[in-house]
Amino acid sequence: MQDIYDCTVQYIIENQNKFYRLAYSYVKEEQAALDVIQNAICRALEGCFGLKNPLALRTWFYRILVNEALQYLRKQKREVLLGEEHTEAMTYEEPAFDEDKQAYEAVMQLSEPMKTVIILHYYEDLTLKEISNILEVSESRVSQLHTKGLSKMKKKLGN
């Protein structure tokens, strides 16, 4: 039992930068991304003993992380700041996404499932099969979302 916990801890430590990039791509705020990661890590460490196949650790953790990011976004939509202006004291840019800002902005304008598939496939180097496991949908559905997302981006970018 301790082995799966140790594997989970090791995996999280080795991939923390990837997790940050993914969380940041959803919430677009440095502190919020860190909160999302912290919540995902807590959930993973609490639930890792129920993981039957250690080889599924990668997709299992990505599922937790994506769900935490989406949950954070849903919570933000529900929050109504009464009489307060929400201003970010410090602007933060994520260097990993600066390489091709137009493409990244086109990805961010896609609908939620398409955006998730494109980010996980191109920015996190996951296969469509791994993405289908993370999103708990069929591989053909992931392929459809991938194709539609690329098509919409192509129209938006003009090439």
Side-chain angles (χ1 to χ4, degrees):
M1 281 303 226
Q2 188 64 25
D3 288 347
I4 192 69
Y5 184 85
D6 293 339
C7 286
T8 304
V9 169
Q10 184 68 27
Y11 177 73
I12 290 168
I13 290 170
E14 289 173 357
N15 295 286
Q16 60 189 334
N17 290 335
K18 283 184 175 184
F19 302 147
Y20 175 77
R21 271 196 326 266
L22 179 61
Y24 184 83
S25 73
Y26 277 92
V27 299
K28 299 185 185 56
E29 291 180 24
E30 181 180 14
Q31 200 56 48
L34 293 171
D35 289 344
V36 165
I37 293 168
Q38 181 178 353
N39 291 342
I41 289 171
C42 288
R43 280 188 54 206
L45 293 178
E46 289 170 357
C48 69
F49 297 108
L51 189 62
K52 293 178 175 115
N53 181 2
L55 298 176
L57 181 62
R58 179 181 184 193
T59 55
W60 176 76
F61 187 81
Y62 269 104
R63 181 181 309 135
I64 292 171
L65 185 59
V66 167
N67 286 337
E68 282 295 324
L70 293 175
Q71 183 178 348
Y72 174 85
L73 292 174
R74 283 190 297 272
K75 183 179 174 188
Q76 289 303 105
K77 282 183 183 177
R78 285 191 304 249
E79 269 184 20
V80 177
L81 299 173
L82 300 174
E84 293 181 25
E85 274 190 42
H86 180 71
T87 56
E88 193 66 27
M90 178 176 69
T91 305
Y92 178 80
E93 293 293 322
E94 175 53 44
F97 299 117
D98 283 345
E99 293 172 9
D100 192 350
K101 253 193 180 336
Q102 280 186 319
Y104 177 70
E105 287 171 7
V107 170
M108 291 298 108
Q109 291 174 3
L110 294 172
S111 69
E112 199 54 58
M114 281 183 237
K115 175 171 57 171
T116 299
V117 169
I118 299 296
I119 289 172
L120 290 176
H121 186 65
Y122 291 103
Y123 291 97
E124 299 300 322
D125 295 324
L126 295 175
T127 65
L128 296 182
K129 183 177 177 97
E130 289 172 322
I131 295 169
S132 75
N133 290 333
I134 290 168
L135 300 178
E136 296 178 319
V137 297
S138 70
E139 212 172 323
S140 63
R141 177 69 179 139
V142 171
S143 182
Q144 283 177 330
L145 291 168
H146 179 259
T147 304
K148 277 185 175 180
L150 290 180
S151 175
K152 286 185 177 201
M153 287 179 62
K154 195 178 220 182
K155 286 178 186 174
K156 193 164 269 321
L157 296 173
N159 51 346

